[in-house]
Amino acid sequence: QVQLVESGGGLVQPGGSLRLSCAASGNALGRYDMGWYRQAPGKQRELVATITPGGSLNYRDSVKGRFTISREQNTVCLQMNDLKPEDTAVYYCNAQNRVLRQYSYWGQGTQVTVSS
């Protein structure tokens, strides 16, 4: 069992920054890929960034150069800079077992709104 709790969302102006944090608890977290996903109204959930236990990174093209995912012990963070209105979404933390991939866990989500 893995529990994920996101924090750090809020309202920011275009060009602003936010730092999201995901606190993870459970067993064998070193076996999990960690990631951030987001879902905007009327759209499907999409991958934002992932990080493997070995530190390999993956970002969707639209956030490259603006967002940074990092992992420290049982916390995964997403630093978001130069935010744009199209970044507005509920952001979800995800943990997926890299071997037993049916074991995938989600946080409750945190709202990010980018608006003037």
Side-chain angles (χ1 to χ4, degrees):
Q1 293 293 317
V2 174
Q3 292 80 44
L4 305 172
V5 180
E6 301 100 329
S7 62
L11 173 65
V12 295
Q13 295 185 342
S17 298
L18 283 174
R19 184 175 179 85
L20 306 183
S21 180
C22 174
S25 61
N27 295 324
L29 290 173
R31 299 177 183 175
Y32 287 79
D33 295 323
M34 302 296 298
W36 288 94
Y37 294 71
R38 66 188 182 188
Q39 187 167 21
K43 299 184 67 177
Q44 292 199 226
R45 188 174 298 185
E46 63 185 21
L47 183 147
V48 178
T50 60
I51 183 168
T52 71
S56 296
L57 307 174
N58 184 44
Y59 298 93
R60 71 178 301 107
D61 286 344
S62 63
V63 308
K64 288 180 179 177
R66 299 189 297 121
F67 291 10
T68 303
I69 189 171
S70 61
R71 187 175 185 174
E72 188 79 20
Q73 297 296 321
N74 294 332
T75 301
V76 60
C77 294
L78 185 69
Q79 178 66 46
M80 305 185 295
N81 298 325
D82 191 24
L83 283 160
K84 305 177 183 299
E86 48 264 47
D87 296 317
T88 295
V90 177
Y91 283 69
Y92 297 91
C93 183
N94 170 258
Q96 184 165 3
N97 191 299
R98 59 188 295 105
V99 177
L100 303 174
R101 301 188 68 82
Q102 69 270 35
Y103 294 102
S104 184
Y105 302 89
W106 295 90
Q108 82 288 348
T110 185
Q111 176 71 48
V112 172
T113 303
V114 185
S115 176
S116 298

